[in-house]
Amino acid sequence: MASNSTKSFLADAGYGEQELDANSALMELDKGLRSGKLGEQCEAVVRFPRLFQKYPFPILINSAFLKLADVFRVGNNFLRLCVLKVTQQSEKHLEKILNVDEFVKRVFSVIHSNDPVARAITLRMLGSLASIIPERKNAHHSIRQSLDSHDNVEVEAAVFAAANFSAQSKDFAVGICNKISEMIQGLATPVDLKLKLIPILQHMHHDAILASSARQLLQQLVTSYPSTKMVIVSLHTFTLLAASSLVDTPKQIQLLLQYLKSDPRKAVKRLTVQDLKLLANKTPHTWSKENIQALCECALQTPYDSLKLGMLSVLSTLSGTIAIRHYFSVVPGNVGSSPRSSDLVKLAQECCYHSNRGIAAHGVRVLTNITVSCQEKDLLSLEQDAVFGLESLLVLCSQDDSPGAQSTVKIALNCMVKLAKGRPHLSRSVVDTLLTQLHSSHDTARILMCHCLAAIAMQLPVLGDGMLGDLVELYKVIGRSATDKQQELLVSLATVIFVASQKALSAEVKAVIKQQLESVSSGWTVYRIARQASRMGNHDMARELYQSLLTQVASEHFYFWLNSLKEFSHAEQCLTGLQEESFSSALSCIAESLKFYHKGIASLTAASTPLNPLSFQCEFVKLRIDLLQAFSQLICTCNSLKTSPPPAIATTIAMTLGNDLQRCGRISNQMKQSMEEFRNLASRYRDLYQASFDADSATLRNVELQQQSCLLISHAIEALVLDPESASFQEYGSAGAAHADSEYERRMMAVYSRVLEEVEALNRKYAPVSYMRYFFQKLQSTSIKLALSPSPRNPAEPIAVQNNQQLALKVEGVVQHGSKPGLFRRIQSVCLSVSSTLQSKSSQDYKIPIDSMTNEMEQRVEPHNDYFSTQFLLNFAVLGTHSITVESSVRDANGIVWKTGPRTTMFVKSLEDPYSQQIRLQQQQAQQPLQPQPQPQPRSAYTRF
């Protein structure tokens, strides 16, 4: 799964290909544009979006769009249409056009053509450019003028352009509103054109006055034109305007409910339900108790299942938000509705056992959300209704393999997880239902049930032992086919077994899993099960599975990857002996584990490639190795107090140096070193956390726990050993308890003794690590590509700058995403830091005023359409070669800074300006003493030769 997503991302980004230079690629396309054959010209035009994706920087995009504008100006209508499609596909790159005036001038010249089709294409082109030319008055005038055209194609293009400009420009929206109102209300305007003009009013939300006028116009239209099409278009535009302006949302909800209740047309009712769903998703807090009550009454009265399904969908959305609390809240002066007697509960109870699967699913979801959200204690009947409804729905749909049935099963299982989390006392009955249904369900439903069981067991580990026996029995009789669903079921069931066993698989369970894998499984299935075993901490099982896969791969990189995973699992398996109380056995276990870890890190390094460097995996394993070494050193340090006690003169040395810790001998210095090691490890874990922007939340929690464990050990060493007061308490702890007079002293001593007990227990209870998802699978991929200007032709060649001038460094960047952008977190802003250091001074020895030896600057920019740019002004007063380093980090929506990189370096050579050089030479000549000139010798025949 991860390899497929990574491969597609690399292919999309163009990595690993024999790429041309950006200018060379542009020249190749320019040759096609200049060709005399129409086919070659069209082929060149449609290849421009790929060029923009590979080289998304303004210099190339500006040149390319200017060339496309020339083609648009002189080409035929088919070429213009191709250019229009390219522009619409490359909307995110339009802001990178530098010469906007020249580009628009070339495009706009076609608006004066006698061909109405050419004018229509130009209007659509201008509408597509509305984001970069929102206030161009000539474009506004052309759109208004074309709305009065007699050619239908041109009018439709003008409507498209008017909608785009209304969304971008407040001035255009204010100016065009009256024009659109006149055209809609005019008798000469065809009905089809009115239906196309009405949706423009959804963009009249720039201020309250404009939104109010548009709302009044739509109210008149709904009243004046009662035909089905006009009512549907007007109501939907009404809803979109209210959702954008946010002012009239409660009025719009009432209007939609009124039409839903009174209008007999089924199409109008269906549209009102869709719009109510939109408002329920966007603004659930604006729904009042009366609105929900009216919707419940309509759902109870309607005889149509399709409408009832839509209304229940709206209610199920609202039941998971704050609106459900408003519905059951007690208003002062009024008696609040009881959850057991309300119409909403009656509707949900009635629909739980409906013959329509969708209605039953939404009824169960409403009942579950009410049960979880309401804090009343007397909800036994509602809880039972929810559990019984979920059981009946699961029995109904688990036998069916259709897509509709499977989506219903997903809804039911999500409700089960939510119910088990919100009402833990119901989890046992939920688990029993799932285990009973597993034996008779279809394979697709079984897979989903296994996911549900794993989620419940992760939340409530106490339920794991009860479900393990049934799972193993099912694993034995799971089937003998090698279909994809069967393989997926093997992985899902094994995952639940790993979760339920809580890191301790018995020999019987291992034998059952191996026997089933040997008979029907593929290598990919075995790898996925081994990966799940590593993630759940079953390293013994994972090691055996990795060992069986070593001879089944065709690439040496895959071999080294599997071999490293096998060694890591073996290393973690060795650490299970740490539960014994003998420190010598603990040291031997750690030494054995480190031996396998060093073998594994060598294989992991060999498995990395330039396209897949495995940086997170290597750093995580290195930290794990260093952590085990630090624990080993700490145990040896503690044992050295027995093997090498402090000398007899330790007390005298401590009094002489004024350091009471010297009484303990050299163990005090060793403890300080151990404390610094653990603090350093915690800092490195923090750096790894900040560099893992694309990691899932569980992986980040795992890394953070490792960091906190290192900080805990370092603080324990400092507080209990190195701090003088804590050390004296540790030495005289038994006597101090008897002499504690105040309550404060007794409480503090109790706290100290508890901490000592916990620290001593750490040596015996330290658990092996569980490898997280990000170690195996990368679901989100985000990278930043930087471009610096000016840039040298050769990266090792420095840029020449005079020392009396400043260098304007422009930094441009593009954010590149994989197949699932923003799955876990999105980039809010990019932090760019620029620093320069002097690499080598000039060989000449002279004095020059020095302002600063280095430059340190930082700026924060927000990317727009995944592009950002900024400039830095750098001073290089010191002559010589300077190294400039540009490093980027990102800030997400929560304000957390992630050190994602990249880090780019360039060189600058600071030269002395000619005028200062001339002045300096003159001063040097003036300071030199005048020496006597040698007397010229008389010329003779000898001097000539």
Side-chain angles (χ1 to χ4, degrees):
M1 295 170 62
S3 61
N4 293 337
S5 62
T6 307
K7 187 181 296 183
S8 63
F9 167 64
L10 295 177
D12 291 342
Y15 296 128
E17 300 177 2
Q18 193 66 29
E19 297 180 355
L20 295 173
D21 181 68
N23 294 328
S24 303
L26 185 60
M27 288 175 61
E28 288 291 326
L29 295 182
D30 189 36
K31 289 180 183 178
L33 295 179
R34 297 177 184 275
S35 173
K37 298 179 181 180
L38 181 61
E40 294 182 0
Q41 289 180 319
C42 295
E43 182 184 0
V45 170
V46 299
R47 286 170 59 191
F48 271 91
R50 173 64 177 165
L51 179 70
F52 297 155
Q53 186 179 1
K54 277 177 113 174
Y55 308 102
F57 290 102
I59 295 179
L60 180 135
I61 289 175
N62 182 68
S63 303
F65 269 109
L66 289 178
K67 294 181 184 298
L68 290 175
D70 284 332
V71 173
F72 189 90
R73 178 171 56 88
V74 301
N76 56 23
N77 286 341
F78 185 70
L79 279 175
R80 291 180 181 131
L81 187 62
C82 292
V83 174
L84 171 63
K85 295 298 182 183
V86 168
T87 305
Q88 292 176 345
Q89 291 178 15
S90 308
E91 183 180 1
K92 62 183 293 186
H93 300 297
L94 293 178
E95 292 185 353
K96 302 171 190 175
I97 301 177
L98 304 177
N99 300 334
V100 178
D101 295 336
E102 183 63 27
F103 176 70
V104 175
K105 178 182 176 182
R106 299 178 186 181
V107 170
F108 193 76
S109 62
V110 189
I111 201 69
H112 306 295
S113 171
N114 292 329
D115 184 5
V117 177
R119 294 198 301 269
I121 296 175
T122 306
L123 286 170
R124 290 186 177 273
M125 186 74 172
L126 292 174
S128 303
L129 299 174
S131 60
I132 60 173
I133 54 168
E135 306 298 338
R136 294 293 175 113
K137 301 304 178 184
N138 54 356
H140 296 178
H141 175 72
S142 299
I143 295 171
R144 293 175 62 93
Q145 191 175 15
S146 297
L147 285 173
D148 298 327
S149 174
H150 297 287
D151 187 83
N152 291 334
V153 177
E154 186 176 358
V155 173
E156 290 182 5
V159 171
F160 170 81
N164 285 6
F165 272 92
S166 298
Q168 299 290 337
S169 171
K170 177 183 176 181
D171 293 341
F172 181 81
V174 171
I176 205 69
C177 187
N178 293 331
K179 172 75 173 176
I180 293 175
S181 176
E182 293 174 1
M183 293 182 67
I184 293 175
Q185 294 177 343
L187 298 177
T189 307
V191 177
D192 292 342
L193 182 57
K194 290 181 180 181
L195 293 175
K196 294 174 182 177
L197 287 170
I198 291 174
I200 298 178
L201 297 175
Q202 67 180 293
H203 303 297
M204 306 298 172
H205 53 75
H206 297 281
D207 56 29
I209 299 175
L210 184 62
S212 177
S213 62
R215 187 172 178 84
Q216 291 177 2
L217 175 59
L218 287 169
Q219 186 71 50
Q220 294 176 6
L221 292 176
V222 171
T223 308
S224 305
Y225 299 92
S227 64
T228 302
K229 288 185 178 180
M230 289 293 289
V231 170
I232 286 176
V233 173
S234 300
L235 280 179
H236 187 58
T237 306
F238 231 149
T239 303
L240 294 177
L241 178 62
S244 300
S245 60
L246 300 178
V247 179
D248 300 313
T249 304
K251 294 181 181 178
Q252 182 62 23
I253 294 174
Q254 294 176 2
L255 179 64
L256 292 173
L257 289 172
Q258 178 184 350
Y259 269 89
L260 179 63
K261 192 173 183 179
S262 59
D263 199 302
R265 290 169 290 190
K266 198 172 181 180
V268 176
K269 289 179 179 290
R270 192 180 299 115
L271 174 98
T272 55
V273 169
Q274 293 174 1
D275 287 352
L276 287 171
K277 181 70 177 292
L278 187 149
L279 294 176
N281 281 317
K282 188 165 186 180
T283 57
H285 57 282
T286 59
W287 286 69
S288 64
K289 180 178 179 179
E290 291 75 16
N291 298 146
I292 301 177
Q293 181 66 26
L295 189 59
C296 290
E297 293 175 358
C298 292
L300 286 170
Q301 296 172 2
T302 181
Y304 302 108
D305 285 351
S306 60
L307 291 178
K308 181 173 284 189
L309 175 62
M311 296 177 200
L312 275 172
S313 175
V314 178
L315 289 172
S316 69
T317 301
L318 291 172
S319 65
T321 63
I322 197 174
I324 194 67
R325 297 186 181 180
H326 292 169
Y327 182 73
F328 291 115
S329 62
V330 179
V331 181
N334 297 327
V335 179
S337 61
S338 173
R340 292 171 292 173
S341 59
S342 64
D343 288 341
L344 181 60
V345 174
K346 291 179 182 177
L347 176 64
Q349 290 173 339
E350 176 186 313
C351 295
C352 277
Y353 305 100
H354 201 278
S355 58
N356 188 306
R357 287 193 302 254
I359 294 177
H362 287 300
V364 166
R365 177 185 284 176
V366 171
L367 209 54
T368 302
N369 288 333
I370 293 174
T371 305
V372 174
S373 300
C374 294
Q375 301 298 324
E376 295 187 13
K377 296 181 179 179
D378 190 15
L379 288 176
L380 182 60
S381 60
L382 284 183
E383 292 174 355
Q384 291 179 350
D385 288 339
V387 173
F388 293 156
L390 287 171
E391 290 178 358
S392 63
L393 188 62
L394 195 62
V395 172
L396 176 68
C397 300
S398 59
Q399 306 293 335
D400 194 351
D401 196 24
S402 62
Q406 297 312 310
S407 61
T408 306
V409 169
K410 288 181 181 179
I411 293 175
L413 294 177
N414 286 331
C415 291
M416 285 184 170
V417 174
K418 192 171 185 179
L419 196 63
K421 183 178 181 181
R423 303 286 181 178
H425 60 278
L426 300 176
S427 57
R428 171 58 64 185
S429 60
V430 171
V431 170
D432 291 341
T433 302
L434 289 171
L435 292 175
T436 304
Q437 201 61 33
L438 263 177
H439 293 277
S440 58
S441 301
H442 199 274
D443 283 347
T444 307
R446 283 179 173 180
I447 295 170
L448 299 175
M449 290 180 194
C450 289
H451 295 169
C452 180
L453 283 171
I456 295 175
M458 291 289 285
Q459 293 175 1
L460 303 167
V462 70
L463 300 175
D465 293 335
M467 65 175 74
L468 188 58
D470 292 333
L471 294 173
V472 174
E473 290 298 324
L474 180 62
Y475 211 90
K476 294 178 181 178
V477 295
I478 198 171
R480 297 296 178 184
S481 63
T483 60
D484 293 340
K485 292 297 181 183
Q486 202 79 32
Q487 301 292 309
E488 183 74 23
L489 182 57
L490 284 172
V491 178
S492 302
L493 262 179
T495 303
V496 184
I497 291 174
F498 293 149
V499 175
S501 62
Q502 301 180 10
K503 300 184 180 180
L505 281 180
S506 63
E508 180 185 358
V509 177
K510 289 182 185 178
V512 170
I513 295 178
K514 289 179 184 178
Q515 182 181 1
Q516 191 66 268
L517 293 181
E518 290 173 357
S519 58
V520 296
S521 66
S522 63
W524 175 241
T525 302
V526 176
Y527 172 73
R528 292 177 63 192
I529 294 177
R531 185 176 67 186
Q532 293 297 92
S534 294
R535 290 183 56 194
M536 302 305 166
N538 292 280
H539 297 290
D540 188 22
M541 184 74 192
R543 178 177 62 86
E544 297 179 10
L545 295 179
Y546 290 135
Q547 179 67 41
S548 66
L549 289 173
L550 285 178
T551 58
Q552 300 183 26
V553 291
S555 168
E556 64 175 5
H557 295 293
F558 292 155
Y559 171 82
F560 285 125
W561 167 250
L562 291 175
N563 188 55
S564 65
L565 294 178
K566 183 202 72 171
E567 299 293 348
F568 298 153
S569 300
H570 199 173
E572 291 297 330
Q573 183 64 25
C574 294
L575 295 177
T576 55
L578 284 175
Q579 297 177 358
E580 302 176 6
E581 297 185 3
S582 173
F583 289 107
S584 59
S585 64
L587 285 174
S588 62
C589 289
I590 294 178
E592 190 73 11
S593 175
L594 285 173
K595 180 181 71 173
F596 291 110
Y597 256 120
H598 285 296
K599 290 182 180 179
I601 192 64
S603 294
L604 185 64
T605 306
S608 61
T609 61
L611 296 181
N612 191 18
L614 302 176
S615 55
F616 174 84
Q617 291 85 344
C618 291
E619 184 61 25
F620 183 81
V621 172
K622 289 177 183 176
L623 282 169
R624 181 65 175 165
I625 293 173
D626 293 343
L627 180 61
L628 291 176
Q629 289 176 342
F631 273 119
S632 177
Q633 183 62 36
L634 178 60
I635 295 175
C636 292
T637 301
C638 294
N639 287 339
S640 68
L641 188 61
K642 303 174 184 178
T643 60
S644 178
I649 60 172
T651 305
T652 306
I653 296 175
M655 295 177 61
T656 304
L657 298 177
N659 186 357
D660 195 47
L661 282 178
Q662 296 298 325
R663 293 185 296 106
C664 301
R666 64 190 186 95
I667 191 176
S668 58
N669 294 328
Q670 292 175 346
M671 281 294 184
K672 284 184 180 179
Q673 292 177 2
S674 294
M675 182 188 69
E676 293 299 329
E677 285 181 6
F678 280 104
R679 285 187 177 176
N680 184 33
L681 284 170
S683 176
R684 289 171 59 189
Y685 272 116
R686 185 190 67 240
D687 295 340
L688 180 63
Y689 183 99
Q690 292 178 343
S692 305
F693 177 79
D694 294 321
D696 55 285
S697 56
T699 298
L700 294 178
R701 285 198 305 269
N702 194 318
V703 175
E704 190 174 11
L705 284 175
Q706 300 294 329
Q707 177 197 0
Q708 294 299 326
S709 68
C710 295
L711 287 175
L712 173 64
I713 298 298
S714 66
H715 290 328
I717 295 173
E718 183 179 16
L720 302 178
V721 179
L722 299 181
D723 187 76
E725 296 180 0
S726 300
S728 62
F729 162 72
Q730 184 179 8
E731 185 175 357
Y732 304 105
S734 58
H739 297 289
D741 297 329
S742 65
E743 178 65 23
Y744 170 75
E745 291 179 2
R746 284 191 290 271
R747 281 187 295 160
M748 289 300 295
M749 290 180 178
V751 170
Y752 282 144
S753 60
R754 178 64 182 273
V755 171
L756 276 171
E757 293 174 0
E758 293 296 330
V759 171
E760 290 175 357
L762 282 175
N763 293 325
R764 300 189 297 270
K765 296 182 179 180
Y766 190 78
V769 72
S770 295
Y771 287 91
M772 62 292 291
R773 176 192 287 272
Y774 193 60
F775 194 89
F776 302 96
Q777 201 174 21
K778 190 175 183 180
L779 298 181
Q780 174 182 316
S781 179
T782 309
S783 60
I784 295 177
K785 187 177 182 180
L786 295 180
L788 309 181
S789 57
S791 59
R793 292 183 179 273
N794 185 5
E797 179 182 343
I799 299 174
V801 179
Q802 293 184 6
N803 66 335
N804 64 341
Q805 298 177 350
Q806 291 180 320
L807 174 67
L809 179 66
K810 184 176 183 180
V811 181
E812 298 173 293
V814 175
V815 181
Q816 297 175 326
H817 302 282
S819 58
K820 298 178 181 179
L823 180 62
F824 301 120
R825 57 196 65 85
R826 292 182 179 274
I827 294 178
Q828 185 74 21
S829 60
V830 179
C831 305
L832 295 170
S833 61
V834 175
S835 61
S836 68
T837 56
L838 182 63
Q839 297 291 319
S840 60
K841 282 188 177 182
S842 177
S843 57
Q844 299 179 359
D845 187 15
Y846 56 86
K847 293 183 179 180
I848 189 168
I850 300 176
D851 295 334
S852 63
M853 298 288 289
T854 60
N855 291 285
E856 296 285 346
M857 296 184 182
E858 184 174 342
Q859 288 191 33
R860 185 180 303 163
V861 292
E862 293 187 4
H864 190 265
N865 288 330
D866 295 335
Y867 170 77
F868 60 89
S869 67
T870 187
Q871 289 187 343
F872 296 89
L873 205 59
L874 305 178
N875 184 26
F876 300 100
V878 182
L879 302 186
T881 303
H882 298 257
S883 173
I884 301 178
T885 302
V886 180
E887 187 172 6
S888 64
S889 57
V890 301
R891 183 185 294 267
D892 62 9
N894 297 324
I896 303 176
V897 178
W898 305 83
K899 297 179 181 179
T900 57
R903 185 186 181 98
T904 307
T905 304
M906 62 181 296
F907 297 96
V908 171
K909 188 172 185 179
S910 178
L911 304 175
E912 190 177 7
D913 65 291
Y915 178 74
S916 300
Q917 186 178 15
Q918 183 180 1
I919 296 297
R920 180 176 56 81
L921 291 175
Q922 290 177 359
Q923 291 177 354
Q924 288 179 355
Q925 291 177 0
Q927 291 176 0
Q928 290 179 355
L930 295 177
Q931 296 180 359
Q933 297 290 333
Q935 294 294 331
Q937 298 180 357
R939 295 175 59 86
S940 64
Y942 297 102
T943 58
R944 292 179 60 187
F945 299 101

